[in-house]
Amino acid sequence: MRQRRRTVRCAALLAAGAAALAGAGALVRRKLLLIRVTGSSMAPTYEDGARLLVRTGIRIQRGDVVVFRHPRGERDPEQLRWLVKRVTALPGEPVPRDVLERVGARPGEAVPEGRMVVRGDAESTLDSRHFGYVPTGTVLGVVVPRRTHRTFPAPAEGAIAVN
């Protein structure tokens, strides 16, 4: 009788563990996306064709590389829908000098709530110097920094292509 109870408890624990692992796997899949970079606006950090892991639902910090909806993408169907850029100023921080004129700010003014300033890593790139502030609500996620030289598998068909 004891042996049977022990077997039933062991099976219940294994089933609970398997369910927990399946739930954790589903949660990770919703929190992480694999994207492919198109273009060279983030070179040399991320070259054309690079695959990036993007974490959703994470707090943005200055210096993070983010994926966000193109501010003019809906008006111009020729534009990519998503962009990859580095955050250079967040709400409450001073507006960078090279963006002042574009956003109509004066030296010393702060980035307004719900907005951020982004820059590409390449010298010539489409960023806040061209389209102004980026609404923080348009951010898809933050690129997970690479810790090794390991490559990710090719994205599945229908993966998001970003610049």
Side-chain angles (χ1 to χ4, degrees):
M1 191 67 144
R2 274 189 176 168
Q3 181 67 24
R4 181 171 168 88
R5 283 186 195 153
R6 211 177 282 161
T7 303
V8 169
R9 274 191 218 137
C10 190
L13 283 173
L14 283 172
L21 281 174
L27 181 63
V28 166
R29 271 187 260 136
R30 277 189 278 153
K31 295 283 185 182
L32 295 172
L33 298 169
L34 187 61
I35 64 165
R36 183 179 47 83
V37 174
T38 58
S40 59
S41 69
M42 286 302 291
T45 309
Y46 302 115
E47 300 290 343
D48 185 33
R51 293 182 211 114
L52 308 176
L53 197 57
V54 177
R55 187 167 175 205
T56 62
I58 187 171
R59 200 181 90 189
I60 303 166
Q61 298 178 19
R62 187 174 4 93
D64 282 344
V65 176
V66 295
V67 177
F68 61 96
R69 186 173 301 281
H70 191 303
R72 297 181 185 153
E74 292 177 8
R75 287 182 266 164
D76 185 356
E78 296 296 314
Q79 296 283 346
L80 290 172
R81 290 182 51 194
W82 300 97
L83 296 175
V84 177
K85 305 290 179 204
R86 188 173 306 280
V87 176
T88 57
L90 290 165
E93 296 178 350
V95 176
R97 280 189 221 160
D98 59 351
V99 181
L100 287 171
E101 188 177 325
R102 172 49 90 184
V103 298
R106 282 179 264 183
E109 281 190 46
V111 175
E113 278 301 312
R115 303 281 188 251
M116 64 182 180
V117 177
V118 297
R119 291 279 308 267
D121 286 357
E123 271 188 49
S124 177
T125 176
L126 182 67
D127 54 33
S128 286
R129 293 172 295 172
H130 298 90
F131 48 69
Y133 295 124
V134 172
T136 54
T138 63
V139 173
L140 177 65
V142 175
V143 174
V144 176
R146 289 194 177 162
R147 304 220 188 278
T148 66
H149 294 288
R150 190 173 160 222
T151 58
F152 297 112
E157 191 171 317
I160 299 171
V162 296
N163 183 10

